[in-house]
Amino acid sequence: MSLFSKPAATNSIFGNQSSGASSSQSQPSQTSSTSNIFGNLGSQQPSQPAQSNPFSILGSSQPQQAKPAHSAPFSNLATSQPQQTSSLFGAAKPATSATTAAPAPSIFSSQAPQQQQDQAGQNAQQQPPPPRLSQPAYFESLLEKGRKRTRDADGAPNLGELPGLQLGLSDIARRVREIGGVGAQSPADRAADSKAYYLLAASGVNPGNTRRDLDAFKVQPGVSTSDLQLPLEWDPDTDRYMDQMQQQSTLKMIAEGIDRAHQNFDAYLDENIDINWEAQRKKIYEHFGLAARGGNRSQAASQPLSPRAEGSFGRSTRRGRTLKGDQPTQVPFGRSIFGQSSLQKSVIGTPNAGHKSASLFTDVEDQSGQSTVSENRFSREKQSKFAQKIQALNRARLQEKPYPIFHELRNVQAPFQLGDAYQAVVEIVQEQPQPDNAVQAPVPKQRQFLNDYLDETPNSAKQVEIRKRILNGSRRSLEKQFFETVESLVSRNAREANLGGVPTPLNKIRAYIRVRDARRDLKPEELELQKIDESEPMWAVVYFLLRCGLVKDAADYVKNNGQIFRAVERNFTAYMSSYANDKERRLPRNLQDRINSEYQQKSRMAPENSLDPYKMACYKIIGRCELTKRTIEHINQSSNDWLWLQFCLAREVNRVEEVAGDVFGLEEIREAVSEIGQRHYQKGQEGLGGYATYFHLLVLAGMFEQAISFLYPYSYIAAVHFAIGLCYYGLLRVSGLVDAESDLMTHNTKELPQISFGRMLGYYTRDFRTSNLNAAVDYLVLICLNIDLPGAAGKAQASLCHEALRELILESREFAQLLGDIRNDGTRLKGTIEQRLNLIGLSDQEMFLKTVTVQAASVADDNGRTTDAVLLYHLAEDYDNVIAIVNRALSDSLATDLSEPEQKLTPLKPRSTATDAQPMQQEHPSDQNSSFSLTTVSDPSTLARNMISLYESRPLYLQRIRPLNRSTCGLLLTLHTIRTHLTSSPPNYSAALSAIANTSLLPLSARGSIPEIRAAANAVNALPQLVARNLGNLVMWAIMSVGGERRRLKGGFVDQGREEVREELRGVGKDLMTFAGLVRYRLERGVWEAVVRAGGDVGGY
């Protein structure tokens, strides 16, 4: 195949600029269609069918016949005449072909591609090829035309109107520059822009991306009232002019509505959204340890942001609003009080018909199983008993008296091992069962151990003191528990015990040993115990006395038998005496070294089965020997015996000064308990003895937060009340608002566990707050036990408590019972919450009204509960807002059609006859049932009359109501009276007309006077919005009254006076029609048409 037999169109980055045909038409060659980005802009060149020359635009022209069958975006940029080949560097070479090329379709061409190809084909067939010498002159003329077209296009703005066939490369380049926005710039401007681009690029800014981002912010132009203008010229077509007027009025009303909506939304944001980004930044820094904890967060939160106060998390965008934290009497506990709740989840949850609440925490799995009917009844009874104890606790707190909460709660708790856990805490805090009669030991007070327990420094004096208290208390509880076991075993086995004589503790221990010996579980059979008089094992007596915590009795026993003990062990008497007399149960260093040496010598050098195991146990306990091995061999021990040995060996000492081998304290016990839990008490495994055993271990080790978290899935009722007792004494670390959104137990920045105490109490009230509202209040009040936490944590807990109470108020809608009620004389009755003001951190009534009542009223108003909002605002002494809400409800009621029933309000729940089983504060007996009649009001007009009559009878109340609201209320009540006359059976039209005339809103007495009618129409603009919205209904009612009265007069006997009255009513109807025509654009949709239809019936036209 010849290279030139079938020339193919070239593929180049700019395509074929021009195409030609061979001089011989008898042997036409075919070209393959190409598709490139710029169409046929390349030069003519014979090409192989499957090859493409990337430099074809730089080559010379070859004869070629082209029949382009492709379409490219810029394919029609070649003219229909023979053209010169354009080089990449701007040099023009004359084409060697004598024929013209058919142009490809172009997006700039105004002609169809097929027509262009046909014309090109006809020209190629009809015209012979011109002489070769005339081609340069021809192309020079083409260049001159192109330059002239360029000069014309520079001065003429209609370049886009030129046909696509007349656009060359220079035209395309200029068009691209104009589209890019640089075509109209001068060289100086482009140079300046280049410098700016370089400067921005050097600063790390991408000018192109930035410009696209800025162009993306296309602000939609809103409707402005300044753009709404009346027609400039008078249109003789009245209908069209009125249509234009109506359109302008409608657009103006829409624009005003949009502006009002923007203003209301901005006001709502300013009122309810209160974000202090600086405080949030500091809080995040403190969380990650980048700033000192508890610094000036509260001060930063209470001060307005400065214009330059910007953190890494942004700047507050609130407009013109500053925090009022510098006024502590106004904003005492954070922003969730004087605004919408800042919490994303509810504090108290939704009411629950069952008795399970564990599923509300994401880190808690319910392990209690499916409950039966009897279990549910048992749980309800237990909850009722617990609620009585909690109410007694709050009464004692109001009276500032101590309350033995763990003793009281233990009496209700049924499981025995949970009772042991209660006893352990009783010993730790040394709680007395009857604190009023306690003389020997000091009575623990509320939150007594808070500072010591919350101290996060491990080796501080406070932490050492609280760990000592936990160690000693847990050891005492185990010792007392064992002594009770001894007494129980002796009493059940009286014959083997052979107690006899005086039942002293020593004699009871001897009897216990005899019972154990009779059962053959006192020692292994191969061992022999050292005895006194061949009957009493002396070392066993000492060991069990120590096991029962009778250290003084053990020392007296050794002293009384000193000769025998010295004969066996010469130094043991000194060891025992020093151990019993030391307050911390520690031996001096010389005795400690001596007893350790003796213990090591006996344990290593003594023959097997020759040592008394109780003797070695006494040495280990008194001398804390071989702490790496904290077990006793050859003695039957229970889990409690092993625990007691750990607490007996543990001491809280200065770890820097102490010998490394003698260091064993509460932290090591906690590690051992945690290891036991990981092995035997994982989720879904109850381990040996059930969940109560491990809960007892955690309480003994002082791991109170872990204990609550572990017990909650199994028995959340017990976990909640145990946590209440711990929190009462300050032995529970509680989490903040953000940390406690969904988890029961979280960890702070120092990895210390903390419990979501507030939400746990709130979720617990789900079971009974519907039936026992006062008990729910008593539980939620306990959240404020943590109000004394340092820094912002205490304020956050108070805010959480107030939020929970607010949710309870809005959910139950028992406003009369919770917040108080109104007596017939207008004075207030205290509710359940107000009786507990001192327990929720509110010292006076004014603060209570601001923090709880006002916010509850605002939410009730937003939810459309009118009667609730009226009562709450009245209790908050915001009487002007009461009238405003009443006016709005009354206006909504009047807006309904006469054929429809009048809107009714949801009546308020009545006040309970007994606000409390044992009220916090005694009220007058007649006050509980003496309540204002808001509880049964469902008619807006009745509610309005009740409230306005109440305020009018008290000048002090009336002075706090704006005159506009009072006059509006009067007008609306009059309109309601008119509606009542028209809806009565039969309608009282004359009374309705008289009431309408009393309002002075309609020109009923104009008698055709246009100025009076126009004055009445102009007065509509000054009407309150709530009255103006019912103006259309009032006009309809007036026309209906006129028509009805005229029909009534027409139906009777003929009388001249009746005819005069009918004629006068006809004039009134005309005046009303004229008035309606003047205010037609202020009326609601459809009112004008109804007025026109009714006007014909009354003779208005």
Side-chain angles (χ1 to χ4, degrees):
M1 180 181 295
S2 174
L3 180 65
F4 301 99
S5 60
K6 292 183 179 182
T10 61
N11 287 336
S12 68
I13 57 175
F14 293 100
N16 299 329
Q17 182 178 355
S18 61
S19 60
S22 61
S23 57
S24 177
Q25 300 179 6
S26 61
Q27 297 178 356
S29 62
Q30 299 178 355
T31 61
S32 61
S33 61
T34 63
S35 177
N36 52 66
I37 189 172
F38 290 102
N40 298 330
L41 293 179
S43 61
Q44 308 175 40
Q45 173 180 331
S47 60
Q48 298 175 358
Q51 294 182 355
S52 171
N53 185 6
F55 302 101
S56 59
I57 193 171
L58 303 178
S60 59
S61 304
Q62 298 293 338
Q64 188 179 24
Q65 181 180 359
K67 294 183 180 180
H70 61 273
S71 176
F74 297 94
S75 60
N76 195 24
L77 298 180
T79 58
S80 58
Q81 295 89 1
Q83 295 182 359
Q84 61 180 359
T85 304
S86 298
S87 174
L88 179 66
F89 302 100
K93 294 182 180 181
T96 58
S97 176
T99 60
T100 60
S106 171
I107 60 173
F108 300 104
S109 176
S110 58
Q111 299 178 0
Q114 186 64 32
Q115 296 177 358
Q116 295 175 2
Q117 293 180 4
D118 296 339
Q119 293 177 3
Q122 294 176 4
N123 294 334
Q125 295 177 3
Q126 295 175 5
Q127 297 180 2
R132 187 178 184 88
L133 295 177
S134 62
Q135 288 183 357
Y138 176 75
F139 286 112
E140 287 180 0
S141 63
L142 292 178
L143 289 175
E144 184 62 26
K145 292 180 180 179
R147 296 189 188 98
K148 182 178 181 181
R149 184 172 63 252
T150 302
R151 289 193 299 269
D152 295 340
D154 291 338
N158 56 352
L159 180 61
E161 299 178 359
L162 295 176
L165 291 174
Q166 299 180 5
L167 290 177
L169 289 178
S170 58
D171 301 330
I172 296 173
R174 183 169 60 258
R175 173 60 65 88
V176 171
R177 286 196 301 270
E178 291 178 357
I179 294 175
V182 298
Q185 291 184 350
S186 64
D189 295 338
R190 287 195 293 269
D193 290 345
S194 300
K195 293 179 180 179
Y197 289 160
Y198 285 125
L199 178 62
L200 292 174
S203 302
V205 178
N206 191 333
N209 294 339
T210 305
R211 181 172 181 176
R212 284 194 298 270
D213 294 340
L214 293 176
D215 292 339
F217 289 99
K218 299 288 187 180
V219 180
Q220 296 291 340
V223 181
S224 175
T225 56
S226 59
D227 299 334
L228 304 176
Q229 299 178 358
L230 297 177
L232 299 179
E233 298 181 358
W234 172 259
D235 194 340
D237 191 348
T238 306
D239 294 337
R240 187 165 60 182
Y241 178 79
M242 295 303 295
D243 290 341
Q244 294 177 359
M245 289 284 292
Q246 185 176 5
Q247 292 177 2
Q248 294 293 332
S249 301
T250 304
L251 293 176
K252 185 176 181 180
M253 291 175 62
I254 294 174
E256 291 176 354
I258 294 175
D259 293 341
R260 259 195 322 272
H262 290 170
Q263 295 174 2
N264 294 338
F265 180 72
D266 293 341
Y268 177 82
L269 291 181
D270 289 342
E271 180 181 357
N272 294 282
I273 295 186
D274 182 7
I275 300 177
N276 192 334
W277 291 108
E278 187 67 19
Q280 294 293 327
R281 180 180 66 86
K282 290 185 178 181
K283 184 176 180 181
I284 294 174
Y285 281 4
E286 292 176 4
H287 177 77
F288 290 103
L290 302 177
R293 189 172 183 84
N296 298 327
R297 185 195 300 175
S298 59
Q299 297 179 5
S302 63
Q303 295 177 358
L305 292 175
S306 61
R308 301 174 63 89
E310 180 179 6
S312 59
F313 292 90
R315 180 183 299 173
S316 175
T317 58
R318 296 165 58 247
R319 301 177 295 106
R321 176 183 169 89
T322 58
L323 298 177
K324 299 181 180 179
D326 53 346
Q327 301 176 4
T329 59
Q330 296 182 5
V331 187
F333 299 115
R335 69 184 183 91
S336 65
I337 298 175
F338 288 100
Q340 195 169 1
S341 172
S342 62
L343 307 179
Q344 298 179 358
K345 293 184 64 177
S346 173
V347 181
I348 62 177
T350 57
N352 186 18
H355 76 282
K356 293 186 179 182
S357 339
S359 60
L360 294 181
F361 290 110
T362 58
D363 60 339
V364 175
E365 295 181 2
D366 192 1
Q367 304 290 342
S368 58
Q370 187 67 28
S371 300
T372 61
V373 176
S374 59
E375 290 177 350
N376 289 338
R377 184 178 67 253
F378 176 74
S379 299
R380 288 193 295 269
E381 293 176 356
K382 184 186 293 186
Q383 286 179 338
S384 178
K385 294 178 181 179
F386 274 128
Q388 295 176 6
K389 301 298 182 181
I390 297 302
Q391 289 179 355
L393 170 64
N394 285 332
R395 286 197 298 271
R397 292 175 60 205
L398 283 174
Q399 299 171 5
E400 298 183 356
K401 293 181 180 180
Y403 183 76
I405 182 171
F406 279 106
H407 280 89
E408 298 294 335
L409 296 179
R410 186 178 59 177
N411 296 333
V412 180
Q413 189 64 48
F416 176 75
Q417 287 182 320
L418 291 184
D420 294 340
Y422 278 101
Q423 181 62 32
V425 183
V426 166
E427 293 297 331
I428 291 174
V429 301
Q430 296 182 354
E431 183 182 87
Q432 304 300 319
Q434 296 179 355
D436 295 337
N437 301 328
V439 178
Q440 297 179 356
V443 179
K445 300 179 181 179
Q446 175 181 331
R447 311 288 287 176
Q448 178 176 340
F449 311 105
L450 174 67
N451 296 329
D452 295 348
Y453 186 78
L454 296 185
D455 191 353
E456 298 179 353
T457 305
N459 297 323
S460 64
K462 294 181 179 180
Q463 268 293 309
V464 172
E465 183 64 27
I466 195 65
R467 289 200 296 266
K468 286 182 179 180
R469 177 176 286 274
I470 294 174
L471 283 175
N472 297 332
S474 300
R475 189 188 68 249
R476 284 195 304 268
S477 68
L478 291 171
E479 291 169 350
K480 289 184 177 181
Q481 182 182 355
F482 181 77
F483 189 70
E484 293 175 358
T485 304
V486 169
E487 291 180 333
S488 175
L489 185 63
V490 169
S491 63
R492 292 198 310 268
N493 301 273
R495 189 177 67 176
E496 292 84 355
N498 193 17
L499 181 58
V502 180
T504 61
L506 178 59
N507 290 333
K508 292 180 179 180
I509 294 299
R510 288 169 175 169
Y512 175 76
I513 293 175
R514 285 192 288 269
V515 173
R516 293 281 300 270
D517 189 29
R519 293 185 173 184
R520 298 182 181 275
D521 62 349
L522 183 64
K523 65 176 182 64
E525 294 182 357
E526 65 272 10
L527 294 178
E528 292 293 333
L529 303 181
Q530 295 180 357
K531 299 180 181 180
I532 299 177
D533 298 335
E534 299 297 330
S535 62
E536 183 176 299
M538 48 188 269
W539 295 110
V541 173
V542 175
Y543 170 78
F544 285 115
L545 286 173
L546 294 176
R547 177 66 181 87
C548 293
L550 304 174
V551 180
K552 293 295 183 181
D553 294 340
D556 294 339
Y557 178 77
V558 173
K559 183 178 180 180
N560 294 335
N561 299 278
Q563 185 176 358
I564 300 176
F565 278 96
R566 280 192 295 271
V568 179
E569 294 295 339
R570 181 181 57 183
N571 299 323
F572 185 77
T573 305
Y575 299 154
M576 190 69 227
S577 177
S578 178
Y579 180 81
N581 293 329
D582 189 80
K583 184 177 180 181
E584 295 185 357
R585 299 290 188 264
R586 300 193 63 190
L587 298 179
R589 174 52 57 185
N590 56 346
L591 295 180
Q592 181 71 45
D593 296 340
R594 190 185 304 172
I595 194 174
N596 284 335
S597 177
E598 292 180 7
Y599 181 84
Q600 295 292 337
Q601 184 179 4
K602 293 179 184 300
S603 61
R604 294 179 181 178
M605 300 180 62
E608 187 178 0
N609 298 330
S610 63
L611 292 177
D612 190 335
Y614 291 100
K615 175 183 176 180
M616 299 302 293
C618 292
Y619 267 82
K620 177 179 280 292
I621 292 169
I622 295 174
R624 301 178 69 238
C625 304
E626 198 176 0
L627 292 178
T628 57
K629 186 178 180 182
R630 298 184 296 275
T631 57
I632 300 176
E633 297 179 353
H634 306 299
I635 296 179
N636 293 331
Q637 288 183 307
S638 64
S639 59
N640 287 345
D641 295 331
W642 179 86
L643 278 175
W644 172 80
L645 181 62
Q646 311 307 308
F647 284 99
C648 193
L649 297 177
R651 298 290 188 277
E652 285 298 328
V653 295
N654 190 343
R655 297 177 179 249
V656 178
E657 300 177 357
E658 191 71 17
V659 180
D662 295 341
V663 174
F664 178 73
L666 185 61
E667 291 299 327
E668 286 73 18
I669 294 178
R670 288 174 174 174
E671 293 177 0
V673 172
S674 300
E675 185 178 355
I676 292 174
Q678 293 175 1
R679 289 184 178 181
H680 305 287
Y681 295 95
Q682 291 292 335
K683 292 182 178 180
Q685 301 177 359
E686 294 186 359
L688 183 62
Y691 65 89
T693 302
Y694 187 59
F695 175 71
H696 188 206
L697 289 177
L698 292 172
V699 172
L700 289 173
M703 305 169 68
F704 302 127
E705 292 82 10
Q706 294 90 332
I708 299 299
S709 178
F710 175 78
L711 179 62
Y712 192 86
Y714 297 96
S715 177
Y716 71 92
I717 299 177
V720 167
H721 292 88
F722 203 90
I724 290 174
L726 292 173
C727 193
Y728 176 76
Y729 288 114
L731 292 175
L732 191 68
R733 189 176 290 105
V734 299
S735 56
L737 300 180
V738 180
D739 301 331
E741 284 289 338
S742 57
D743 294 340
L744 175 62
M745 187 179 72
T746 55
H747 293 79
N748 59 10
T749 55
K750 294 190 176 181
E751 292 301 322
L752 296 176
Q754 51 189 8
I755 290 294
S756 179
F757 182 71
R759 293 189 183 276
M760 182 174 61
L761 291 181
Y763 294 162
Y764 175 71
T765 61
R766 299 168 63 229
D767 299 345
F768 56 85
R769 64 171 178 255
T770 303
S771 58
N772 194 352
L773 195 60
N774 293 324
V777 173
D778 282 313
Y779 277 96
L780 296 180
V781 162
L782 294 177
I783 300 177
C784 275
L785 280 172
N786 300 289
I787 199 174
D788 55 354
L789 292 178
K795 296 181 179 180
Q797 293 298 318
S799 177
L800 186 66
C801 175
H802 299 159
E803 179 66 24
L805 290 175
R806 190 171 75 99
E807 290 184 12
L808 178 65
I809 292 169
L810 297 177
E811 177 190 286
S812 63
R813 296 182 62 238
E814 297 284 354
F815 303 114
Q817 181 177 350
L818 295 178
L819 299 177
D821 206 345
I822 315 169
R823 284 197 293 261
N824 292 329
D825 57 356
T827 57
R828 299 183 61 226
L829 290 174
K830 289 186 177 181
T832 305
I833 296 178
E834 192 171 357
Q835 294 174 6
R836 297 161 175 81
L837 285 182
N838 295 333
L839 302 182
I840 60 177
L842 302 177
S843 57
D844 56 357
Q845 177 180 347
E846 182 179 0
M847 188 179 298
F848 167 74
L849 295 176
K850 288 183 178 179
T851 53
V852 180
T853 312
V854 173
Q855 288 305 313
S858 177
V859 175
D861 187 20
D862 293 340
N863 294 336
R865 298 200 292 266
T866 303
T867 54
D868 299 347
V870 166
L871 176 60
L872 292 173
Y873 275 122
H874 179 82
L875 295 176
E877 300 179 358
D878 191 355
Y879 308 123
D880 185 68
N881 221 343
V882 170
I883 300 301
I885 294 174
V886 168
N887 291 343
R888 188 168 63 247
L890 192 56
S891 178
D892 294 339
S893 175
L894 294 173
T896 59
D897 192 75
L898 291 178
S899 59
E900 298 178 359
E902 192 174 354
Q903 285 187 355
K904 298 296 182 180
L905 303 176
T906 303
L908 188 72
K909 289 187 177 181
R911 181 181 175 86
S912 176
T913 56
T915 57
D916 244 329
Q918 292 177 339
M920 296 291 167
Q921 297 180 7
Q922 295 295 332
E923 299 284 347
H924 297 289
S926 61
D927 290 346
Q928 295 184 1
N929 297 325
S930 175
S931 178
F932 194 59
S933 58
L934 285 176
T935 56
T936 57
V937 170
S938 60
D939 186 10
S941 62
T942 305
L943 178 63
R945 289 189 177 90
N946 289 339
M947 300 310 300
I948 200 66
S949 61
L950 175 65
Y951 296 152
E952 287 179 350
S953 62
R954 289 167 177 79
L956 294 179
Y957 292 176
L958 200 62
Q959 291 176 0
R960 302 175 64 175
I961 303 174
R962 291 181 299 172
L964 178 61
N965 283 339
R966 285 183 288 175
S967 61
T968 301
C969 185
L971 284 175
L972 293 174
L973 286 175
T974 305
L975 295 182
H976 186 272
T977 302
I978 298 170
R979 178 189 172 92
T980 304
H981 290 320
L982 293 177
T983 55
S984 62
S985 181
N988 193 346
Y989 296 115
S990 60
L993 286 174
S994 300
I996 294 173
N998 293 333
T999 61
S1000 301
L1001 297 178
L1002 302 181
L1004 298 184
S1005 60
R1007 299 182 180 276
S1009 176
I1010 297 300
E1012 290 187 14
I1013 299 175
R1014 190 177 298 276
N1018 294 333
V1020 172
N1021 297 326
L1023 291 178
Q1025 179 64 26
L1026 297 178
V1027 178
R1029 61 176 296 195
N1030 292 288
L1031 184 63
N1033 289 338
L1034 182 61
V1035 174
M1036 280 295 302
W1037 297 344
I1039 295 177
M1040 289 174 58
S1041 300
V1042 170
E1045 186 66 15
R1046 293 185 76 244
R1047 287 192 299 271
R1048 186 184 68 82
L1049 296 175
K1050 182 179 180 181
F1053 56 89
V1054 179
D1055 186 10
Q1056 184 177 1
R1058 283 174 172 259
E1059 292 298 328
E1060 291 178 358
V1061 173
R1062 292 185 73 253
E1063 189 65 25
E1064 182 179 356
L1065 290 175
R1066 182 171 179 273
V1068 171
K1070 291 183 178 180
D1071 295 343
L1072 289 175
M1073 292 296 298
T1074 305
F1075 173 82
L1078 294 176
V1079 298
R1080 60 175 297 187
Y1081 300 113
R1082 298 296 302 269
L1083 304 179
E1084 297 180 358
R1085 178 182 298 179
V1087 174
W1088 170 249
E1089 289 77 3
V1091 168
V1092 171
R1093 289 193 299 269
D1097 299 336
V1098 301
Y1101 54 86

